[in-house]
Amino acid sequence: CVHTDNCFVPISEIIAVEETEFNKKQRNIGRWQKMAKLHAFTVYYVKKARNHRWRCSDVTFWCVDEHLCNQWIQALKELLEMQKSRPKQLLVYINPYGGKRQGKRIYEQKVAPLFSLASISTDVVITEHANHAKDNLFEVNIYKYDGVVCVGGDGMFSEVMHGLIGRMQKDSGIDQNNPKASLVQCNIRIGIIPAGSTDCICYSTVGISDPVTSALHIIVGDCQPLDVSSVHHNNTFLKYSVSLLGYGFYGDILKDSEKKRWMGPMRYDYSGFKTFLSHHYYEGTIAYQPAKHTHGSPRDKESCRMGCYICKKSEKQLAEQNKEHGLKHEEGEEEWKIIKGKFLAINAVSMSCACPRSPKGLSPAAHLADGSADLILVRKCSRFDFLRYLVRHTNQDDQFDFPFVDVYRVKCFRFTSKVSEDNESNVMDIGKKHFGQFCRDHPACCCNIVNSTWNCDGETLDSSAIEVRVHCQLMKLFARGIEENCKDEAAHSHSSIEQLL
């Protein structure tokens, strides 16, 4: 076989192989034009560009021997068949209303042709209302699919995740309302085609928010385990979280921005500025159990990357602990540490929460699959100091290097606001009824009863008093984690096919 470029690509990154009508490919083949009829096949493969972006490229091989050409095609197709992690049938949910309302167009124009090229069959559902995908996942036969794909933003992903995990627990007879229940792992992978206002999860697990890149990760069958935190209030299940649980600053931003959805993604900037100026702080108590099974810390420089050894070690150690203590979480197995104070922000993150504006994220060393969350407490401080803290998210400086910021790696925690504590003890109820409005208008008043809202992956929670537990690698994504040194293929145009020969 002869071809024009020197190309070497691993089999795992070949998308498809197709016989090619040579006349349809206009190539300058010199002396080959004078020979007999040529036979050709085209190899479609992943071409890696800068900033973790992937593209579908192709190279055509040709020769005069038809039998030899067919042998190559057959051999390559057999090699692709051996890639057992690749999906053959997918269930696709498209949110036509999310972000800039481009979900359907993005899927049809950029993603569907690639799935078709890779011979992936799809069942597509266009969602018509909130929780449509979640409800549908409780009804369909999910076990006939190799994965579920959601086209939309973080909200759409959350809906699909709740549907899949909820279905798994229901089928296994596990009560989600029990905060101490050991949940059944969800082995059906979720693929995210970003098309929303926020695509934090995609950015933190792939390295870029790009529909074509995400589609190619799905096609090659990548798999990235993901920790999931369950959130409960008074033994009642509220939500699952995979990225951010934020009380105070980030909760207030979300609450305010929900009233301004007509502004589109700009609403987050507006609400963020408004919330910063208001500078509200909230009083409460946090109790947490340290994640002693993990091998890293929030202050180290070990970012979670593809094949992360910290996640692998933590998973192994946690599995050994479960063997020793059984599957049930024992309430008294470790001492709870308690912190009381006045906080501008309380954030618990299960991943870095990186995004284009904050390339390192809220916690740069947070890990995707180590069975822990990073609990960040920002105590009451001046507006200027809080601004300094926020600015650190956009640069390379250590954002935890402030006397008013504490960070802990935890496996579970509880939070109770001062308001909840007072309500439970029935103290000052009469005063609150009579002077509540006065207190709200004058925050300096000693009986300030203002409460914040929890921001759970971009959705508000009704309860301020919550219990959170991290479930190690509860679900899987079609992703591989962020690659350490993603080569710039534009400068390195001779991509490669080793194992082809």
Side-chain angles (χ1 to χ4, degrees), residues 163-360:
L164 259 186
I165 296 177
R167 172 69 181 273
M168 287 290 177
Q169 309 321 306
K170 180 189 172 189
D171 290 355
S172 303
I174 290 172
D175 180 12
Q176 290 183 101
N177 286 319
N178 179 5
K180 297 179 185 66
S182 183
L183 302 181
V184 171
Q185 194 176 55
C186 179
N187 289 316
I188 298 173
R189 287 168 288 176
I190 299 179
I192 309 170
I193 303 296
S197 301
T198 56
D199 301 303
C200 165
I201 295 151
C202 198
Y203 197 90
S204 294
T205 56
V206 175
I208 189 170
S209 175
D210 174 64
V212 171
T213 301
S214 292
L216 293 174
H217 278 284
I218 294 168
I219 289 168
V220 302
D222 278 337
C223 183
Q224 172 62 54
L226 209 59
D227 292 339
V228 179
S229 296
S230 59
V231 186
H232 288 79
H233 170 73
N234 286 348
N235 291 326
T236 303
F237 171 73
L238 299 179
K239 287 276 185 185
Y240 290 117
S241 169
V242 294
S243 56
L244 168 70
L245 267 168
Y247 186 82
F249 183 70
Y250 288 101
D252 292 350
I253 289 176
L254 181 65
K255 190 175 182 180
D256 188 74
S257 68
E258 284 297 297
K259 304 168 192 170
K260 301 173 177 63
R261 295 192 74 88
W262 55 271
M263 291 177 72
M266 264 183 60
R267 66 186 184 272
Y268 298 114
D269 294 328
Y270 175 82
S271 295
F273 182 65
K274 182 179 171 185
T275 303
F276 170 75
L277 291 179
S278 66
H279 201 61
H280 285 152
Y281 66 86
Y282 303 94
E283 197 167 353
T285 302
I286 292 168
Y288 70 91
Q289 282 190 328
K292 292 182 179 177
H293 67 276
T294 59
H295 291 262
S297 86
R299 296 296 298 272
D300 63 31
K301 303 296 179 185
E302 295 288 336
S303 299
C304 191
R305 293 292 180 261
M306 183 180 75
C308 177
Y309 76 95
I310 287 178
C311 291
K312 286 179 180 174
K313 279 186 177 180
S314 298
E315 177 198 14
K316 190 177 177 183
Q317 192 157 330
L318 210 57
E320 288 170 0
Q321 282 183 15
N322 286 339
K323 267 187 180 178
E324 287 177 26
H325 303 293
L327 290 174
K328 290 187 177 179
H329 299 287
E330 296 296 332
E331 187 68 27
E333 65 183 84
E334 281 182 29
E335 184 185 350
W336 287 81
K337 298 185 181 296
I338 297 172
I339 299 172
K340 292 191 175 190
K342 298 174 181 177
F343 306 99
L344 283 166
I346 298 168
N347 299 321
V349 296
S350 302
M351 57 177 64
S352 67
C353 291
C355 65
R357 290 189 180 184
S358 177
K360 297 286 184 182

Side-chain angles (χ1 to χ4, degrees), residues 14 45 107 160 169 179 226 233 260 287 308 364 387 389 396 458 461:
I14 291 178
Y45 64 95
Y107 178 78
V160 168
Q169 309 321 306
L226 209 59
H233 170 73
K260 301 173 177 63
C308 177
L387 178 61
Y389 166 72
Q396 303 295 317
L461 294 182

